[in-house]
């Protein structure tokens, strides 16, 4: 005898939207993830952001087919009574299924091999140049080459963090710690914590940590209202100091990017030595120790402090190219305030991302992230597949009248600076108003 199905409405589902009482729905079935959140490989932030909602599109984007087996034990017995799938979501899910049938997720190419090989060659040249040459120009070139090494290594860390590059979870984790912690000094635990939140809440001013740069940058005047960061759990205070810095942000953007790596080092230490639960904390700390052993040791072999300063600064300046690209992908795109919603997940990704148009021979330089929208929609796809699916994504956006923005590297810079300048001029108006009021 068939068991009668039990139903709840979307409004009733919304009531289970907090830690300790957290439900989501996937394809109309309701799951209780209150306990699962503690061991969720993607951390607690994605589940908290989509709590009390349908999370089908996000689930399909981030999980392989093997993840479905974990859902059965979380099933509440309820189905959504008013479960509706939009036409956009139908087409998106159809695409995801087609890509899976084509085996695109498994066809990883040789990108990671080439990247790791180039990283090994660059590291060898840098070490040899520092140890064997007395030329200041060679040392400058080695510092710049180290910056390129960090860029390519970070791409490997990013891809392995999305489990794209290796054949097993264990090998991917090894690649993460090698390319991230050991070679770049950036904790993969910190990266995954912030990056998962960024992907799900892309360009939400209060939920996406990648837009929360007060007091240095503000991409929208909405940040002038001292929003509360739901990610960091604190107020993004727009005070007199923030007003001053933001007033000139279009002028300080590139100089700040040149030393932006320092902030990433600081964020790594703040997380690893915080009271927050950190997956693989000991392993992450070990990787950071490896970095802070070889990097200062290498720098110490330079003959004097001016050359050491020049070497480190050169490596930071070159690496800033990557930091700038990450900003270009999002700073001048659409922003919003509030939690991400599962019902318009595809639309939010199209609104919050900008692709960088380039020739195929430049794909190595951008690490596949020039296809930012494609990556956000299909984060498990290896980078070698992103150019292939780009026309299909473009057509889907056109079909549903959604933005597909692809700008040249130059135009993306112009658009970003324009966005920063617009907010800066409005902040400057507030700054002069404060000066005239208080003297």
């Amino acid at each position: 005898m068939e068991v009668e199905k039990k139903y709840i409405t979307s409004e009733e589902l919304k009531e289970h939207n907090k830690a300790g009482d957290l439900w989501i729905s996937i394809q109309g079935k309701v799951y209780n993830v209150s306990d699962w959140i503690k061991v969720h490989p993607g951390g607690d932030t994605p589940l908290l952001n989509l709590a009390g909602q349908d999370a089908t599109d996000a689930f399909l984007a981030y999980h392989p087919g093997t993840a479905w087996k974990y859902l059965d034990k979380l099933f509440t017995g309820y189905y959504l009574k008013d479960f509706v799938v939009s036409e956009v979501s139908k087409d998106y899910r159809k695409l995801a299924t087609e890509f899976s049938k084509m085996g695109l997720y498994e066809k990883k190419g040789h990108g990671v091999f080439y990247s790791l090989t180039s990283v090994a060659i660059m590291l060898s040249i840098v070490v040899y140049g520092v140890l064997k040459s007395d030329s200041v120009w060679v040392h400058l070139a080695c510092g710049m080459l180290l910056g390129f090494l960090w860029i390519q290594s970070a791409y490997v860390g990013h891809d392995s963090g999305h489990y794209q590059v290796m054949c097993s979870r264990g090998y991917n984790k090894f690649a993460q710690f090698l390319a991230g912690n050991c070679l770049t000094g950036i904790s993969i635990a910190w990266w995954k914590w912030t990056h998962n939140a960024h992907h799900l809440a892309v360009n939400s001013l209060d939920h996406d940590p990648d837009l929360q740069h007060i007091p240095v940058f503000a991409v929208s005047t909405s940040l002038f209202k001292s929003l509360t960061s739901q990610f960091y759990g604190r107020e993004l205070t727009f005070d007199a100091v923030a007003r001053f810095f933001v007033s000139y942000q279009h002028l300080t953007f590139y100089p700040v990017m040149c030393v932006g790596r320092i902030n990433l080092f600081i964020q790594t230490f703040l997380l690893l030595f915080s009271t927050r639960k950190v997956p693989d904390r000991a392993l992450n700390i070990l990787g950071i120790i490896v970095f802070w052993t070889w990097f200062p040791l290498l720098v110490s072999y330079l003959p004097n402090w001016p050359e050491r300063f020049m070497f480190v600064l050169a490596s930071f300046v070159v690496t800033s190219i990557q930091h700038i690209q990450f900003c270009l992908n999002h700073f001048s795109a659409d922003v919003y305030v509030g939690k991400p919603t599962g019902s318009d997940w595809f639309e939010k990704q199209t609104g919050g991302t900008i692709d960088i148009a380039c020739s195929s021979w430049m794909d190595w330089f951008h690490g596949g992230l020039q296809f930012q929208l494609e990556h956000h929609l299909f984060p498990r796809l290896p980078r070698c597949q992103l150019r292939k699916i780009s026309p299909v994504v473009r057509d889907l956006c056109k079909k549903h009248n959604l933005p597909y923005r692809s700008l040249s590297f130059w135009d993306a810079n112009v658009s970003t600076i324009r966005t920063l300048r617009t907010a800066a001029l409005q902040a400057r108006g507030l700054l002069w108003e404060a000066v005239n009021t208080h003297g």
Side-chain angles (χ1 to χ4, degrees):
M1 182 178 179
E2 186 177 348
V3 178
E4 185 178 353
K5 289 185 177 180
K6 298 183 295 182
Y7 292 93
I8 63 171
T9 65
S10 296
E11 289 301 315
E12 291 174 309
L13 178 63
K14 288 180 182 178
E15 297 175 3
H16 304 275
N17 64 353
K18 55 185 177 297
D21 182 20
L22 202 165
W23 291 11
I24 61 171
S25 76
I26 298 174
Q27 292 190 337
K29 296 180 70 173
V30 179
Y31 300 93
N32 184 346
V33 294
S34 305
D35 294 326
W36 175 247
I37 193 173
K38 302 172 186 176
V39 294
H40 181 230
D44 58 354
T45 302
L47 291 175
L48 289 171
N49 281 347
L50 293 175
Q53 303 182 54
D54 179 77
T56 304
D57 288 342
F59 181 85
L60 290 174
Y62 293 101
H63 299 83
T66 54
W68 289 93
K69 63 184 180 183
Y70 294 100
L71 291 178
D72 290 341
K73 61 183 179 182
L74 306 175
F75 182 46
T76 61
Y78 291 103
Y79 295 82
L80 271 187
K81 186 176 183 180
D82 48 355
F83 176 62
V84 178
V85 183
S86 70
E87 292 304 312
V88 179
S89 288
K90 288 179 182 177
D91 286 345
Y92 169 67
R93 296 172 192 181
K94 187 184 300 182
L95 263 189
T97 301
E98 289 177 2
F99 292 163
S100 181
K101 289 180 179 178
M102 293 167 63
L104 297 188
Y105 294 102
E106 286 71 43
K107 296 175 182 177
K108 303 180 185 301
H110 302 292
V112 65
F113 173 76
Y114 297 143
S115 295
L116 288 176
T117 300
S118 67
V119 166
I121 293 173
M122 285 188 284
L123 184 58
S124 299
I125 294 173
V126 169
V127 172
Y128 184 84
V130 169
L131 298 183
K132 297 298 183 179
S133 176
D134 296 325
S135 170
V136 64
W137 298 110
V138 170
H139 294 162
L140 175 60
C142 286
M144 297 173 68
L145 190 60
L146 180 61
F148 279 113
L149 182 158
W150 282 340
I151 289 175
Q152 291 302 315
S153 187
Y155 286 143
V156 174
H158 170 272
D159 291 354
S160 57
H162 280 293
Y163 299 103
Q164 299 175 356
V165 299
M166 299 293 187
C167 59
S168 72
R169 185 181 183 87
Y171 285 130
N172 272 297
K173 180 173 286 191
F174 175 76
Q176 292 168 31
F177 289 113
L178 176 63
N181 296 51
C182 299
L183 288 178
T184 69
I186 311 301
S187 167
I188 198 69
W190 171 83
W191 175 84
K192 291 178 75 172
W193 177 47
T194 58
H195 197 65
N196 286 339
H198 160 70
H199 263 270
L200 284 179
V202 59
N203 278 30
S204 167
L205 295 175
D206 54 340
H207 284 76
D208 182 357
D210 283 10
L211 291 188
Q212 297 174 359
H213 302 299
I214 293 291
V216 183
F217 299 131
V219 298
S220 168
T221 55
S222 295
L223 287 165
F224 297 177
K225 301 174 184 178
S226 295
L227 298 176
T228 297
S229 168
Q230 301 302 319
F231 180 79
Y232 291 111
R234 58 177 172 80
E235 185 180 85
L236 303 171
T237 306
F238 190 75
D239 53 15
V241 174
R243 269 202 305 269
F244 175 78
F245 282 120
V246 170
S247 294
Y248 300 95
Q249 63 182 0
H250 56 302
L251 303 176
T252 61
F253 175 66
Y254 294 112
V256 169
M257 289 296 104
C258 287
V259 293
R261 196 160 196 83
I262 297 174
N263 178 57
L264 302 185
F265 291 149
I266 293 173
Q267 294 300 322
T268 284
F269 279 96
L270 288 177
L271 177 65
L272 293 185
F273 296 99
S274 70
T275 57
R276 180 180 177 83
K277 181 181 178 182
V278 179
D280 301 308
R281 186 193 301 268
L283 193 56
N284 271 268
I285 292 176
L286 177 62
I288 297 303
I289 291 174
V290 170
F291 173 81
W292 287 108
T293 299
W294 75 259
F295 179 52
L297 186 61
L298 178 67
V299 174
S300 72
Y301 275 93
L302 292 165
N304 53 60
W305 281 107
E307 284 200 35
R308 291 167 187 161
F309 177 79
M310 174 197 70
F311 178 88
V312 173
L313 181 61
S315 65
F316 283 10
V317 170
V318 170
T319 313
S320 71
I321 298 171
Q322 186 178 63
H323 304 327
I324 290 168
Q325 176 179 319
F326 294 160
C327 297
L328 302 185
N329 287 141
H330 298 288
F331 270 25
S332 61
D334 303 338
V335 299
Y336 66 100
V337 177
K339 290 180 65 173
T341 51
S343 58
D344 63 352
W345 186 83
F346 186 98
E347 294 90 329
K348 283 293 197 307
Q349 306 303 318
T350 62
T353 55
I354 294 175
D355 282 9
I356 306 297
C358 70
S359 301
S360 58
W361 69 270
M362 282 292 287
D363 286 355
W364 68 272
F365 180 80
H366 294 286
L369 297 183
Q370 74 274 25
F371 296 109
Q372 189 68 193
L373 175 56
E374 289 79 0
H375 170 62
H376 267 254
L377 293 175
F378 305 97
R380 293 189 299 108
L381 269 184
R383 72 170 85 162
C384 61
Q385 304 295 347
L386 297 179
R387 183 174 288 276
K388 182 184 300 183
I389 71 164
S390 178
V392 181
V393 172
R394 186 191 294 267
D395 289 344
L396 183 56
C397 290
K398 184 178 181 180
K399 175 182 178 181
H400 294 284
N401 198 28
L402 294 170
Y404 183 97
R405 285 164 287 203
S406 181
L407 306 176
S408 69
F409 190 78
W410 173 263
D411 288 339
N413 274 273
V414 171
S415 180
T416 296
I417 295 299
R418 185 185 297 121
T419 297
L420 293 174
R421 185 176 183 273
T422 299
L425 293 178
Q426 295 185 60
R428 195 175 297 179
L430 294 175
L431 179 65
W432 285 111
E433 181 180 318
V435 170
N436 292 331
T437 301
H438 301 291

